[in-house]
Amino acid sequence: PAVDPRPASSLRPGTPSRLTSARQSRFPRDHLESVCGYLMKYTNLVTGWQFRFFVLNNEAGLLEYFVNEQSRNQKPRGSLQLAGAVISPSDEDSHTFAVNAASGEQYKLRATDAKERQHWVSRLQVCTQHHTEAIGKNNPPLKSRSFSRASPGNGSSPVAQRRPSQSASAGSLAGPPAHARPLPAARGEPLQLDHLVQVQEMMTHAKGQQRDLTKTIEGLPASGHLSALDQDLLLLKATSMATLGCLADCFHILQLQHAAHQKGALLPPGPAVGWPDPRGPLPDRYENGADGSPVAGPEKPGAAPEDQAAPGAGLSERAPEEVDPDEEVEDAGEDEEDDLGTVEEQRSVILHLLSQLKLGMDLTRVVLPTFTLEKRSLLEMYADFLSHPDLFLAIPGGRTAEDRMVRFVHYYLTAFRQGRRGAVAKKPYNPILGETFHCSWRVARPAPPAADGTPAAEPGSYTVRFVAEQVSHHPPVSGFYAECPERGVSVGAHVWTKSKFLGMSIGVTMAGEGLLSLLDHGEEYTFTLPSAYARSILTVPWVELGGKVGINCAKTGYSASVVFHTKPFYGGRVHRVTAEVKQNPGNAVVCRVQGEWNSVLEFTYSNGETKQVDLTKLPVTPKRVRPLEKQGPYESRRLWSRVTEALRESELDKATEHKRVLEERQRSEERHRAETGTPWHTKYFLPEGDGWVYRKPLGKTAPKPQPDD
């Protein structure tokens, strides 16, 4: 591990930012600021991250670094020219960012926190823009050069090198002919903005060759010695597509900088330009609801499910339904999701899908292959957050506001383990508009002591009721609500899932807010949810949580900050979580938590006491659900029953077809509403501000609960 060279005073928690600033007299009108301070710099897989002292030299347009602050008067260990550079905050976490120089060199850096990263990024952006504009003013534009296209098949290509006998059938990505290539710039010469025309022509040439390569690969037979599903060819296709996509995004960033230069304006301080949104509509076959899965092959006419409604049917059946608890039965068990073989067998399908995606692309409208689905709806996954209802019901039993906040944090941190099934990351079904899920849990009441001090017999049980509904399709928003009137506690939330393609992983942001209400105490606790990431999607996908979430109670002044740590690029543990419970007026920490959100948590209290909670040993209360024959046509398990059955039997083609029929029904109903002008009405949730709330929350419908104590 790297030795931290910083002075001890700069490492103490709570000390001010280590950044120092000095106004430069050379550029007073540009308000340039020199910045220096310690950052972590990623070196390589062996050395990993190391603390280095960085100096932003605004006068020279350089970012320099030294071993430590004491050696800053010596020659720097390294430096980057900032003219023409791109400053990019990372998607990994809120601390990391990259400086990409025009020469191709890159520094991957990590600040102490998000605020410090923002300060560095803002100052680097201003310096970069200033020196980039200065170069454009001091250098006249060059005449653009024309490039002739190399004929497909000439030159060597990766495919031709791997199989010489097939060289005539694959296009070349070798680039423009030697006589058409511009002379390389001298090492370290900064990028000039008047080269954009040349770059655009070169990219057009490369895109044409990449299209030829793609057509050649897709034109190969489906089987044989060299097939269109050959893993090496699919990897080549995906890599070439991703490379061109990245280049196009970088070129778009340069165009934005050039436009700012033309207007004579500096880029404002703030976040660096991120990955732009896709500049064209997705192909129809990847729209949500289309049969985009390559597994299914040609569409086969199949019988619609027995309970498939005609367009417009069911629109008048949106009245809230009261579920009879006596009709619910204890869940028989959960479907296992530990099928590692399927993922490996379908690797070529994943590669084919990756070849269609771009970094930063919104995956809301992208249909993933059927074999990546787990056998439950997203609405049921939210219900599994309450798999420990005894901890949920224990919250209002806290005798003090501090105790109740700590109990809520305890329950919150134990909720996510059961939300995930199995070791492999799989995706729950996307709920269709109007889909609902109902269930309940029964929790044994504590037995009150009898007159002689012995426990009384048959104490009975509490009932926790749960309902979830898909209230919006675009954007995809779900609402869920759970309550126990006898204990005077309820919790509800609305969640907007936003997914993005991050290269070799997929990130899902769960935007929205939740509210826990304790009627006896008149307290309301607001909370948010972490993001989720599916990592290693080309091998064995796994899930980790990441991000900082907050829990607040305005009435009591207590709050909690929970951080789900993503695994560092080098070293570190997975699934790590830390939390602090504070009393806001004095900002005093009353409880600290550390550990893994799917394993063991350790609680340390202000009085020095500690408690360990092994999540793997916590009893899971099975939920109670109505049998399929008693469920409505829009209830999750009945709605997806044929897809689930086909997945259990490993009939992927059948599962894909049943899924397609459901999604086609959703599109038909949407078209019918548009044609007839019929508005959509939700069943259990109502819009309120920017979110959704349950129609009849506990405080408006339930009598005052009777305390047990």
Side-chain angles (χ1 to χ4, degrees), residues 385 388 410-422 530-533 542-546 562-567 573-578 593-602 613-616 618:
F385 287 165
H388 304 298
H410 184 185
Y411 157 72
Y412 183 91
L413 292 176
T414 60
F416 297 98
R417 185 176 185 273
Q418 285 303 122
R420 299 305 319 161
R421 289 184 182 174
S531 299
Y533 300 91
W542 55 282
V543 170
E544 69 171 340
L545 302 180
V562 183
V563 181
F564 293 86
H565 301 267
T566 55
K567 185 181 182 302
R573 305 199 314 269
V574 295
H575 309 312
R576 193 165 71 90
V577 64
T578 56
V593 188
Q594 64 177 352
E596 289 82 39
W597 57 264
N598 64 348
S599 181
V600 178
L601 296 172
E602 182 179 83
V613 180
D614 188 344
L615 305 186
T616 62
L618 286 181

Side-chain angles (χ1 to χ4, degrees), residues 418-620:
Q418 285 303 122
R420 299 305 319 161
R421 289 184 182 174
V424 179
K426 290 198 171 185
K427 181 180 177 297
Y429 308 140
N430 281 336
I432 71 169
L433 184 63
E435 179 181 335
T436 62
F437 181 78
H438 298 266
C439 69
S440 66
W441 296 266
R442 290 184 180 175
V443 182
R445 294 173 182 262
D452 57 357
T454 60
E458 300 294 332
S461 61
Y462 296 115
T463 297
V464 179
R465 302 212 52 76
F466 176 91
V467 61
E469 180 181 7
Q470 189 70 8
V471 296
S472 172
H473 185 51
H474 289 307
V477 181
S478 309
F480 66 84
Y481 175 82
E483 67 177 25
C484 179
E486 299 159 297
R487 293 289 290 160
V489 57
S490 67
V491 63
H494 63 276
V495 184
W496 173 12
T497 53
K498 297 188 286 186
S499 53
K500 281 194 174 183
F501 177 61
L502 305 177
M504 290 297 102
S505 64
I506 293 175
V508 180
T509 302
M510 292 190 284
E513 188 177 72
L515 182 70
L516 174 82
S517 297
L518 305 180
L519 291 188
D520 267 353
H521 306 282
E523 296 171 358
E524 292 185 339
Y525 299 72
T526 59
F527 62 93
T528 52
L529 296 171
S531 299
Y533 300 91
R535 306 294 193 190
S536 305
I537 56 180
L538 270 182
T539 53
V540 180
W542 55 282
V543 170
E544 69 171 340
L545 302 180
K548 183 176 181 179
V549 301
I551 302 173
N552 295 280
C553 180
K555 179 180 178 180
T556 65
Y558 280 89
S559 65
S561 174
V562 183
V563 181
F564 293 86
H565 301 267
T566 55
K567 185 181 182 302
F569 188 77
Y570 177 74
R573 305 199 314 269
V574 295
H575 309 312
R576 193 165 71 90
V577 64
T578 56
E580 287 185 343
V581 178
K582 295 182 179 181
Q583 188 176 18
N584 289 346
N587 211 30
V589 177
V590 299
C591 179
R592 285 188 170 89
V593 188
Q594 64 177 352
E596 289 82 39
W597 57 264
N598 64 348
S599 181
V600 178
L601 296 172
E602 182 179 83
F603 291 74
T604 303
Y605 302 94
S606 55
N607 59 6
E609 293 182 3
T610 61
K611 178 180 72 173
Q612 280 199 345
V613 180
D614 188 344
L615 305 186
T616 62
K617 296 180 180 178
L618 286 181
V620 175

Side-chain angles (χ1 to χ4, degrees), residues 246-291:
C246 291
L247 289 174
D249 288 330
C250 292
F251 181 68
H252 184 56
I253 292 173
L254 292 178
Q255 286 178 315
L256 295 177
Q257 292 181 333
H258 180 63
H261 165 67
Q262 293 291 77
K263 295 178 181 178
L266 284 173
L267 283 177
V273 180
W275 292 109
D277 291 331
R279 288 178 290 279
L282 287 171
D284 288 342
R285 67 177 183 270
Y286 289 104
E287 288 290 324
N288 195 12
D291 190 9

Side-chain angles (χ1 to χ4, degrees), residues 69-125:
E69 187 174 4
Q70 290 71 30
S71 63
R72 65 179 299 182
N73 294 326
Q74 303 173 10
K75 183 179 178 181
R77 291 290 298 269
S79 63
L80 280 186
Q81 285 278 356
L82 293 178
V86 177
I87 318 299
S88 306
S90 171
D91 285 333
E92 296 178 22
D93 52 46
S94 60
H95 304 170
T96 308
F97 63 101
V99 181
N100 302 275
S103 63
E105 194 174 357
Q106 181 195 66
Y107 284 176
K108 186 174 181 180
L109 307 174
R110 181 176 289 169
T112 305
D113 52 34
K115 183 177 180 181
E116 187 179 39
R117 179 182 81 168
Q118 183 58 54
H119 190 72
W120 274 101
V121 167
S122 299
R123 302 276 68 80
L124 286 167
Q125 282 181 331

Side-chain angles (χ1 to χ4, degrees), residues 187-239:
R187 183 174 181 85
E189 181 182 339
L191 176 68
Q192 297 184 10
L193 293 180
D194 48 332
H195 289 169
L196 288 177
V197 176
Q198 296 181 38
V199 175
Q200 190 168 26
E201 291 179 355
M202 294 177 70
M203 288 183 60
T204 302
H205 177 86
K207 286 178 182 177
Q209 290 190 317
Q210 200 278 336
R211 280 195 300 269
D212 294 340
L213 173 67
T214 300
K215 289 179 181 178
T216 303
I217 294 176
E218 292 178 347
L220 294 173
S223 60
H225 176 64
L226 186 63
S227 73
L229 295 180
D230 181 271
Q231 292 194 10
D232 290 340
L233 290 180
L234 287 171
L235 184 59
L236 171 63
K237 179 180 166 186
T239 304

